[in-house]
Amino acid sequence: MTSALSFLGGAKNRLLPADVPFSYFTAAAGFHVLAWMILLLGADDLPGFVGGPGLILAALHLLTLGVLVMTAMGAAFQLLPVATRQPLVRTWPARLSFWLFAPGSLILAYGMVDGTLAMLNVGAIGVGTGLAIFVILTADNLRRAGSMPLVAAHGWFALAALIGFAGLGFALIVDFDTGFLQHRQPIVLTHMLLAAFGFMGLLAFGFSHVLIPMFVLSRALPEKLGWLELALAVSAIVMSVVGMLLENVYAVASAAIIGLAASAVYILLMRTALRTSMRKRHGLSFVLIRFSWAMLMLSLFTALALSLEVPVPNGLTLFGFFLLAGWLLTFLTGVLQRIMPFLASLHAVNKSGAPPLLSELTAEGPLKLHAICHAAALVLCSIGIIVEAVALIRLGALSGLVGAIAFAAFTANVVLQLKRPKAS
Amino acid sequence: MEFQRRTAQLLHEDHQATVAIFETLEDMIVSAKRSTPDTTEASIRTALEQAIAAIDEEVSSHFAFEENELFTRLEDLGDTGIGEHLREEHQAILPISQQVAKLARRALEDGFSEVSWLEFRSQTGELIERMFAHIQKEEMALLPMLDDILDPETDMQLSENYTSNH
């Protein structure tokens, strides 16, 4: 069997050792379980939540840092070198980044339960240094990327947003102790917008230009539309930040409209990929991915309604839930269930010593259970937030928890197949 | 995908044709469910005949071209990994594809029995899965590399060799 390191770039080692991306993906699967568990415990506080220490803030950061950013880091470390055809300069910093970021996220989330400063500070240092290493490695890779300017441009803007949301995050933690921020709420919202739309959203859009055509075997997407999507998305993010910081509703409403236009162009591009796909069947992962695109639009329509002062019950909480759990979490679980078996197939061998089948590396049952439970969780929690029914939110969180456990079982299966002794 | 080099584009078009044929086989398996397909039906006969032709005429020559003309060039450039990996996949795919072609030929002559259908379904399922994963890797890694490494003259020569053998 060919060495795992040799495929996708041979001597240049563009395929990282399996432990690098899989440590991120496995941790994300664990944080996913933890996030729903903490939401279940703190369900009482979810309707009307707009920030502040407590179980919801902890659950929110277990989801955003622990699942979303963790997955983005693992995927970026592995996929950027493949997409840009430039190897990662060293692999040990990617491992170090994980060992700072993963415990840091856990400690930070723990500190957020009751605002314990020591925990918040230690956690923030771990998260911050882990992210700093990620920024340096990714920037170095993007700097050398010549073949994929559109993906690289998404990456640069995502890194800029990361620096912005991390800086504001530090400011918010300092504010817990000193109260130096005169208007905390606009900073909280800007932090969330930069993290969710700026960093995660742009990375998701950028990687989609490579991953979606690869998954469905379609032709290259029209590049001009890709640049239009990026220009609109970046304009929307900048406009939303300006609107939030100046507390200007017109700027926020304009940002939502431009964001809707950016998302419409993005979805048009993705539909082009699906329409020109060599394959007709795209599987369960694309049910989730398509659903996530619908949730992206729904989150932006909710943002627009809120900025126009349309009375949406617990609208801000609902917007955050649609954005984070509906769009980003659904999208990433859809993508991860394709990436993990594919990457594992490059590293593993089956009993006969032949390259393994993807079906040997995946687990259909847990993935189906996850999809059903995740969809139920989104519906139940959304209704629960709107009608302020804690029982519905609990039921939704329980459903999300069962789905997350099923997804963790799928992840564990992939990792166990990887660890199986190789045939000689 | 659209490739700058004609060789990459020809291999890509072959992939498209192979995916279409194997998807027809997949449709046949999915729609049959637990029942045994009737090989006197025109659509079943066409699916089996196309699969046999693709395996006999396309798959082997496509693989041979890649192994003899492309992987060797990559190896000369010091990139041995991708050729080794894809060769191993070829070695896994070829015996199964020949077995599927044999079972399809027998079915065209004698029809499917319950036993032969189960065997055909199992072998074809594995072949489809291996073939799609293999094509995905080639589309993602091998063909973009050809765009990078082939100069126009070599590209012209290779693409002519490829078309003359098809």
Side-chain angles (χ1 to χ4, degrees), chain A residues 107-395:
Chain A
I107 295 167
L108 186 64
Y110 184 79
M112 282 174 176
V113 175
D114 56 5
T116 315
L117 270 179
M119 289 290 185
L120 286 172
N121 289 332
V122 171
I125 290 168
V127 168
T129 45
L131 285 176
I133 295 170
F134 169 75
V135 169
I136 293 166
L137 285 180
T138 307
D140 175 66
N141 193 277
L142 292 173
R143 184 179 57 78
R144 288 178 285 125
S147 59
M148 297 228 140
L150 182 60
V151 177
H154 279 84
W156 282 118
F157 283 112
L159 288 188
L162 185 156
I163 293 166
F165 91 71
L168 292 179
F170 275 114
L172 289 166
I173 287 172
V174 174
D175 186 59
F176 271 136
D177 184 31
T178 62
F180 80 103
L181 292 173
Q182 288 182 338
H183 300 283
R184 186 179 164 89
Q185 197 58 19
I187 303 291
V188 168
L189 289 172
T190 307
H191 167 71
M192 189 186 95
L193 288 173
L194 281 175
F197 285 120
F199 177 62
M200 287 305 305
L202 286 176
L203 270 192
F205 276 20
F207 277 133
S208 292
H209 286 272
V210 180
L211 289 178
I212 302 297
M214 184 190 102
F215 289 155
V216 303
L217 288 170
S218 72
R219 68 178 173 80
L221 298 173
E223 198 142 289
K224 277 185 188 166
L225 270 184
W227 286 108
L228 175 66
E229 166 255 285
L230 178 64
L232 287 168
V234 172
S235 307
I237 292 160
V238 171
M239 184 78 88
S240 70
V241 168
V242 171
M244 281 297 160
L245 294 177
L246 299 178
E247 298 186 54
N248 181 321
V249 290
Y250 298 109
V252 176
S254 306
I257 291 167
I258 301 169
L260 277 166
S263 303
V265 175
Y266 164 75
I267 291 168
L268 180 73
L269 281 163
M270 296 305 115
R271 284 179 61 86
T272 306
L274 296 177
R275 209 182 54 246
T276 58
S277 164
M278 286 193 215
R279 294 220 59 189
K280 283 188 232 119
R281 290 193 193 86
H282 299 128
L284 180 62
S285 60
F286 271 85
V287 176
L288 288 172
I289 290 169
R290 283 171 191 265
F291 185 63
S292 78
W293 294 336
M295 293 303 290
L296 167 65
M297 297 304 275
L298 189 58
S299 71
L300 286 164
F301 277 119
T302 309
L304 180 61
L306 289 173
S307 65
L308 297 175
E309 297 182 356
V310 175
V312 181
N314 296 312
L316 204 54
T317 313
L318 195 64
F319 162 67
F321 188 74
F322 285 162
L323 175 62
L324 299 172
W327 150 229
L328 289 169
L329 180 61
T330 312
F331 180 79
L332 288 187
T333 50
V335 169
L336 268 181
Q337 60 188 262
R338 293 295 289 262
I339 289 180
M340 280 201 276
F342 181 74
L343 279 180
S345 77
L346 303 177
H347 289 276
V349 287
N350 69 11
K351 283 174 192 163
S352 63
L357 291 169
L358 287 181
S359 59
E360 290 173 340
L361 294 163
T362 196
E364 289 290 330
L367 287 179
K368 278 184 189 155
L369 180 61
H370 162 259
I372 293 165
C373 290
H374 181 72
L378 291 180
V379 172
L380 289 168
C381 287
S382 301
I383 298 171
I385 291 167
I386 294 168
V387 301
E388 298 193 13
V390 172
L392 276 184
I393 296 173
R394 279 214 185 92
L395 203 57

Side-chain angles (χ1 to χ4, degrees), chain A residues 1-3 6-12 14 82 85 210 213-220 276 278-281 338 342 345-346 350 352 354-360, chain B residues 1-2 12 15-16 19-20 23-24 26-27 30 78-82 84-86 88-89 92 126 128-130 132-133 135-141 144-145 147-148:
Chain A
M1 179 68 193
T2 310
S3 158
S6 55
F7 185 63
L8 295 179
K12 291 179 182 170
R14 289 199 291 267
V82 174
R85 296 183 217 166
V210 180
M214 184 190 102
F215 289 155
V216 303
L217 288 170
S218 72
R219 68 178 173 80
T276 58
M278 286 193 215
R279 294 220 59 189
K280 283 188 232 119
R281 290 193 193 86
R338 293 295 289 262
F342 181 74
S345 77
L346 303 177
N350 69 11
S352 63
L357 291 169
L358 287 181
S359 59
E360 290 173 340
Chain B
M1 296 278 179
E2 273 154 20
H12 168 69
H15 289 160
Q16 281 180 309
V19 168
E23 280 218 320
T24 312
E26 199 177 29
D27 287 343
V30 170
D79 207 340
T80 54
I82 188 163
E84 275 177 41
H85 186 96
L86 295 175
E88 281 167 3
E89 292 201 341
E126 181 175 344
I128 289 169
E129 205 181 323
R130 285 200 185 280
F132 285 158
I135 288 174
Q136 196 170 44
K137 286 173 195 167
E138 290 199 347
E139 290 279 323
M140 188 178 74
M145 268 185 179
D147 272 356
D148 287 346

